[in-house]
Amino acid sequence: MPLTILTDSEVRALLLGLKKQDILDLQQSLADALHYYSTSTDQDHNGCSSSYQPYSTSLKRSDGQTTLVMPASSNDGLGVKIVTFSEPGSVKGPSSSNASTSSACGSLASFDSLSLSAASTSSSATAVSIPPDSLASKDSTTPKGLLTLLDRSGGPRALINAEEITAFRTALASTMLFKKRDNVHDVIVFGAGRQAYWHIRLALLLRGPEIHHLNVINRSFERATNLIQSLFKGPDGTGTDLPWPKVQIITPAAQEYERLLKATIRASSVIFCTTPSLAPLFPAGHLTNPEGRKKGRYVAAVGSYKPHMLELHPDILKQNVAPDHNRHYHKHALQGGAVVVDSVEACLKEAGEVIQAGLTGNEVVEIGELIMLRRDADRKRQECVARKSMGSLDDMGVEIGECEQRKKKKRKGRKVKEEYAGDEGLMEWLQKGNVIYKSVGLGLMDVVVGSELVSLADSRGVGTRINNF
């Protein structure tokens, strides 16, 4: 089998050419791998099992940057991703734009549905709280590096530029639960890098007609504007067929930024946090007080990846796992008693939100335990068709269901509240309740998605192939 080499532009072209059905197929392949990661035991001899996934290695370099080495095993082969991030102080963080509202509107005249909350032409002495410093900048938003894939025998299979695929696979995982939410009318995205781009693009591909408002919150107005323009122009620069909601850009330079931030958070049904932040992106009270708890939300925090970094205030996670004790005097959305993570071991070791909230393995549950294998989802669909009632199942794509093997694989705690342990209760929480998904990334994700992408590239003649490498 030849070695396939994919550059960053080739990877991006392939990903931008994916349609909704392609996304659903890729998402299901990743879901199967995560399911096996969470449920397979040594006796199963499954290549995706957590037993075969070594820990990532972190190398701190003299220039202040950090390089991660992420080896992984799958059922199709092996792989390792090597990527480099900037550390605090090594690159100056972005500052908010000083562009006036009028000039900004002029640069985006083609966006009929766009409203802007940027700096005002009239200055004010009133202080506003600026979002915390991030590791991101125009030069370091995306980790740079390489994904190497090997076949089952260890033979070289592919070399892939890792910039685009890292952001894509993260969004592919965090939109699994998003796909099943009852309400996705109001979406917030913190950040304006590639992670933000792919979260927005996949959200629009999967649930676009149901998204009424898209709010991009970022320190730099210029970067947020460029993000929206790149999405609006489409892959070939002639426009996009994505359904478009009303778009609002909010920056700290906006008049009444605090009020805008609070109102937007309260109105949201989905929040994607995609920044490598060193402090919470918004006050905990916006979600934890009685008014903030009335509405169920899906919150995905995927930008921070070290113990000292966090996007969500720890109090938000603490409340999400706290027992009710039937003492609440205000109506609030369901809480599952657990935070959903990509990996319990990795998040207990690396996720700042989880660590600083003091969560234990009994208060986090892996997403792989909450999703069905493709074969099980297809079987259930066939049963539903026979009964002439699809229930909560979709026609295609990843489905939620209680993992029958959860008790089989004994690991540290990890529970969902007993009242939500059955399929109906689990569905009600994951579809309507307050759900937090925290991801620090797994090498398994890269290997699985990378392998699928190489197969796609080979079938379409994209990339460079070297025989007898």
Coordinates of all heavy atoms in Angstrom, one line a residue, residues 39 86 112 117 163 235-236 318 329 333 353 361 376 378 389 409 459:
T39 N -15.5 1.2 26.7 CA -16.1 -0.1 27.2 C -15.3 -1.4 27.0 O -15.6 -2.3 27.7 CB -17.5 -0.2 26.4 OG1 -17.2 -0.4 25.0 CG2 -18.4 1.0 26.7
S86 N 1.9 27.4 21.8 CA 2.6 28.5 22.5 C 2.2 28.5 23.9 O 1.1 28.2 24.3 CB 2.2 29.8 21.8 OG 2.8 29.9 20.6
D112 N -26.5 40.7 5.5 CA -27.7 41.3 5.8 C -28.2 41.0 7.3 O -28.9 41.8 7.9 CB -28.8 40.9 4.9 CG -28.5 41.4 3.5 OD1 -27.9 42.5 3.3 OD2 -29.0 40.8 2.5
S117 N -21.4 44.3 17.8 CA -21.2 45.0 19.0 C -19.7 45.2 19.2 O -19.1 44.4 19.8 CB -21.8 44.1 20.2 OG -23.2 43.9 20.0
E163 N -2.6 20.6 11.4 CA -3.3 21.8 11.8 C -4.8 21.8 11.7 O -5.5 22.0 12.6 CB -2.7 23.0 11.0 CG -1.3 23.4 11.4 CD -0.9 24.7 10.7 OE1 -1.7 25.7 10.8 OE2 0.2 24.8 10.1
P235 N -16.0 27.4 0.5 CA -14.7 26.8 0.2 C -14.1 27.4 -1.1 O -12.9 27.6 -1.1 CB -15.1 25.3 -0.1 CG -16.3 25.1 0.7 CD -17.1 26.4 0.6
D236 N -14.9 27.8 -2.1 CA -14.4 28.3 -3.3 C -14.4 29.8 -3.4 O -14.1 30.4 -4.5 CB -15.1 27.7 -4.5 CG -16.6 28.0 -4.5 OD1 -17.0 28.7 -3.6 OD2 -17.3 27.4 -5.4
K318 N -19.1 22.4 39.5 CA -19.5 21.9 40.8 C -21.0 21.8 40.9 O -21.6 20.8 41.4 CB -19.0 22.8 41.9 CG -17.5 22.8 42.1 CD -17.1 23.8 43.2 CE -15.5 23.8 43.3 NZ -15.1 24.8 44.3
Y329 N -36.1 25.5 45.3 CA -37.3 26.2 45.4 C -37.6 26.9 44.1 O -38.6 27.6 43.9 CB -37.4 27.2 46.5 CG -37.1 26.5 47.9 CD1 -35.9 26.5 48.5 CD2 -38.2 25.8 48.5 CE1 -35.7 25.8 49.7 CE2 -38.0 25.2 49.7 CZ -36.8 25.2 50.3 OH -36.6 24.5 51.5
A333 N -33.4 23.5 35.0 CA -33.2 22.4 34.0 C -32.5 21.2 34.7 O -31.9 21.4 35.7 CB -32.4 22.9 32.8
E353 N -10.6 22.9 34.3 CA -11.9 23.0 34.9 C -12.2 21.9 35.8 O -12.8 22.1 36.9 CB -13.0 23.1 33.8 CG -13.0 24.3 32.9 CD -12.1 24.1 31.7 OE1 -11.3 23.2 31.6 OE2 -12.2 25.0 30.8
G361 N -13.4 10.8 39.8 CA -13.8 9.9 38.8 C -15.3 9.6 38.9 O -15.9 9.1 37.9
D376 N -25.6 -1.0 16.5 CA -26.7 -1.0 17.5 C -27.8 0.0 17.1 O -29.0 -0.2 17.3 CB -26.2 -0.8 18.9 CG -25.3 -1.9 19.4 OD1 -25.5 -3.1 18.9 OD2 -24.5 -1.7 20.3
D378 N -28.4 1.2 14.1 CA -29.1 0.7 12.9 C -30.1 -0.4 13.3 O -31.2 -0.4 12.7 CB -28.1 0.1 11.9 CG -27.3 1.2 11.2 OD1 -27.6 2.4 11.3 OD2 -26.2 0.8 10.6
S389 N -42.7 3.9 14.6 CA -42.4 5.0 15.5 C -40.9 5.1 15.8 O -40.3 4.2 16.3 CB -43.2 4.8 16.9 OG -42.8 5.8 17.8
K409 N -16.9 -3.1 32.4 CA -15.6 -2.5 32.5 C -15.5 -1.7 33.8 O -16.1 -0.6 33.9 CB -15.3 -1.7 31.3 CG -13.9 -1.1 31.3 CD -13.6 -0.5 29.9 CE -12.1 -0.2 29.9 NZ -11.7 0.4 28.6
S459 N -9.4 7.8 -2.6 CA -10.5 7.6 -3.5 C -10.8 8.7 -4.5 O -11.3 8.6 -5.6 CB -11.8 7.3 -2.7 OG -12.2 8.4 -2.0

